[in-house]
Amino acid sequence: MKNKELTRRIMALAMAAALSVSVSPVVYAAERADAQTIKEDNQPAADAEESAEEAEGTAEEGTKTEYPLTITTYDYDGNEIETTYEKAPEKVIAVYQGSIETMLSLGLEDRLVATAGLDNEVPDDLKEAFSKTNYLDEFTPSLETVTMLEPDMILSWSSLFSDKNLGNVTNWIDKGCNTYYNSNTRPGGARTLENEYTDILNLGKIFDVQDKAEAIVDNIKDVINNTLEATKDAEEKPTVMVLEPLGENITNYGASSLGGDMVTQLGATLANPDASTVGKEDIIAANPDVIFVVYMPYAGDDPQSVMDSQLAVIQEDEALQSLDAVKNGRVYPIMLSEMYASATRTQDGIETFAKGLYPDAAID
C-alpha cells in the first residue's frame, strides 16, 4: 500500500501528542488487524490444553478474601473513589492488553463475559485461556455494546471510561457495576512499579485469588532484588535514556514514567530525567552509556521490521554516531507494552532492562 509510510508518520505524530497530554491507549497503527485475525493468531498450541488441565490439579488453598471488600480506584478525571464488592465479579469486560492478560494470568477466564483491544498476541501460556473468551469485533467497545453485555465489572484504562467509549465510571457504579483501571493510566498520577503491584494485588483480592496475585508480584520483585545483588559491587552504574522515535519527535521516558522508574529501581541513573521529549542535541549532551529504544508492533505488523526500524533511527543517524551507547553497541530494543502500563508484562520489561544494563552480570 503506497501510502502506508505516510500514514504511519501521521499516526506517529498523533501518538506523540496523545502521550504528552493524556493516557490514551496507543491505537494509532496504520492498519489494525480485524478481530477474526486476532483470534486466529492467539490460538493455543495443540498440547496447550493438556498442560493446562494438568496445572489445574496443583492449585492450593491460600489467603481468602473476606467480603464485603472495599477497593480504592479512580474516576475518569483521576479522583479517588471507593468501590465495594459483595462477592467476586462474575461478568467482567476486560478491554486492552494488560487488563486481559492480568485476568488470564490469575486464572479468571471463566469470569470474562467479553474481551477487546488486543494490540499484540497474548503470551503462549495464556492462549488456551484466551481462546475461551468472547473477543469482540470492536477494538474499543461502544457504551451500547457494553450495556447489552450487562457486566458486573469493567476493567480497562482510564481514557476509555469516557462517554464516547465505555461510559462514565460513576454511572456504572450507580448501576451496580464496579470499574477498575490501571493506576498508571490515571490522569496526573505517578507512573510507578508500585502502582503495577497494587493493581495486580487488588485484583487478587477482588476475585479471591490473592496467592496467585502475590506470586506474580513476588516474581517481579525477585528480578529486581537479584539484579541489585548481582551488581552490588559494581564501581559505577550505567546512565540510561529510554527513547521512542515518533516521526520527527523523540519521546523520552524520564523520572515520571514507569520505564524510568524501572531502570532507576534496577540501580541505573537516568541521563535526562526531566524532559518528556528530546532532540538529537539533547541526546548528544546527555551521552548515556545505554539507550533503550521503544517499539510497538501492532496486530498485523511484522515485529522484527518494526523493531529494526525504530533501532535504526538511533543507530544509523550520522549525528548520533559519537554517542558512547552507539559506539559500544549498547542500544537495545524494548516493547512499549513491557514498560508502559505493563500489568503482568512488567516482569518481561524488568528482565529486558536488566539484561541491557548489566550484560555481564550473572543474574539469576
Side-chain angles (χ1 to χ4, degrees), residues 14 26 38 45-46 94 127 181 199 229 231 251 275 311 336:
V26 185
I38 291 174
K127 286 184 175 178
Y181 67 66
D199 290 342
E229 178 63 25
T231 60
T251 295
L311 286 171
L336 180 67

Side-chain angles (χ1 to χ4, degrees), residues 218-288:
D218 287 346
N219 287 339
I220 299 170
K221 291 182 177 180
D222 283 346
V223 177
I224 295 174
N225 292 334
N226 292 341
T227 301
L228 294 177
E229 178 63 25
T231 60
K232 65 181 180 181
D233 296 328
E235 293 184 5
E236 291 186 20
K237 296 294 178 72
T239 58
V240 187
M241 292 185 80
V242 182
L243 304 174
E244 183 176 17
L246 296 168
E248 298 300 318
N249 301 303
I250 301 177
T251 295
N252 178 60
Y253 290 89
S256 62
S257 71
L258 175 59
D261 190 41
M262 286 178 166
V263 299
T264 299
Q265 291 208 32
L266 286 167
T269 300
L270 292 169
N272 191 334
D274 300 323
S276 58
T277 59
V278 292
K280 295 176 186 178
E281 64 280 1
D282 300 312
I283 302 172
I284 293 170
N287 193 23

Side-chain angles (χ1 to χ4, degrees), residues 9-317:
R9 288 182 177 275
I10 293 171
M11 294 304 183
L13 291 173
M15 176 179 165
L19 285 173
S20 65
V21 300
S22 73
V23 288
S24 298
V26 185
V27 292
Y28 301 105
E31 294 180 353
R32 190 179 291 287
D34 59 29
Q36 185 57 39
T37 300
I38 291 174
K39 292 176 187 176
E40 292 171 358
D41 288 345
N42 284 279
Q43 286 299 306
D47 59 351
E49 186 170 355
E50 181 178 344
S51 299
E53 289 176 354
E54 291 175 359
E56 279 183 17
T58 64
E60 296 182 3
E61 191 84 4
T63 306
K64 303 296 292 181
T65 297
E66 293 186 6
Y67 301 100
L69 171 72
T70 299
I71 293 289
T72 299
T73 183
Y74 310 97
D75 64 15
Y76 179 71
D77 296 319
N79 301 308
E80 285 192 2
I81 57 173
E82 290 189 340
T83 53
T84 300
Y85 295 82
E86 300 296 336
K87 62 177 183 177
E90 298 175 348
K91 297 180 65 178
V92 182
I93 296 177
V95 182
Y96 214 55
Q97 198 87 28
S99 303
I100 297 170
E101 291 178 356
T102 302
M103 291 291 290
L104 299 181
S105 296
L106 292 173
L108 299 169
E109 60 271 14
D110 60 328
R111 304 297 180 99
L112 291 167
V113 69
T115 57
L118 278 185
D119 271 325
N120 313 123
E121 290 185 26
V122 301
D124 288 343
D125 62 335
L126 299 181
K127 286 184 175 178
E128 173 62 27
F130 175 75
S131 69
K132 299 175 182 178
T133 72
N134 171 30
Y135 187 79
L136 301 177
D137 291 337
E138 298 171 85
F139 185 87
T140 304
S142 66
L143 178 57
E144 179 181 9
T145 297
V146 175
T147 300
M148 289 177 63
L149 289 166
E150 299 181 338
D152 56 7
M153 182 183 181
I154 305 172
L155 178 63
S156 189
W157 279 22
S158 69
S159 54
L160 296 187
F161 285 103
S162 68
D163 293 333
K164 294 181 180 179
N165 293 312
L166 299 177
N168 183 278
V169 164
T170 305
N171 290 345
W172 278 115
I173 294 172
D174 289 344
K175 294 176 184 177
C177 173
N178 280 329
T179 65
Y180 194 96
Y181 67 66
N182 182 292
S183 298
N184 277 329
T185 67
R186 178 189 181 190
R191 310 284 187 253
T192 66
L193 274 171
E194 193 61 38
N195 283 343
E196 297 298 332
Y197 301 155
T198 297
D199 290 342
I200 294 168
L201 294 174
N202 277 347
L203 290 171
K205 294 173 185 176
I206 290 168
F207 290 95
D208 195 16
V209 287
Q210 294 190 52
D211 283 13
K212 289 183 179 179
E214 289 168 3
I216 292 171
V217 171
D218 287 346
N219 287 339
I220 299 170
K221 291 182 177 180
D222 283 346
V223 177
I224 295 174
N225 292 334
N226 292 341
T227 301
L228 294 177
E229 178 63 25
T231 60
K232 65 181 180 181
D233 296 328
E235 293 184 5
E236 291 186 20
K237 296 294 178 72
T239 58
V240 187
M241 292 185 80
V242 182
L243 304 174
E244 183 176 17
L246 296 168
E248 298 300 318
N249 301 303
I250 301 177
T251 295
N252 178 60
Y253 290 89
S256 62
S257 71
L258 175 59
D261 190 41
M262 286 178 166
V263 299
T264 299
Q265 291 208 32
L266 286 167
T269 300
L270 292 169
N272 191 334
D274 300 323
S276 58
T277 59
V278 292
K280 295 176 186 178
E281 64 280 1
D282 300 312
I283 302 172
I284 293 170
N287 193 23
D289 299 317
V290 184
I291 295 175
F292 290 94
V293 178
V294 180
Y295 73 103
M296 182 62 167
Y298 298 94
D301 283 338
D302 173 43
Q304 187 68 42
S305 296
V306 175
M307 182 183 73
D308 290 345
S309 177
Q310 288 290 88
L311 286 171
V313 174
I314 303 298
Q315 292 175 325
E316 299 178 11
D317 192 305

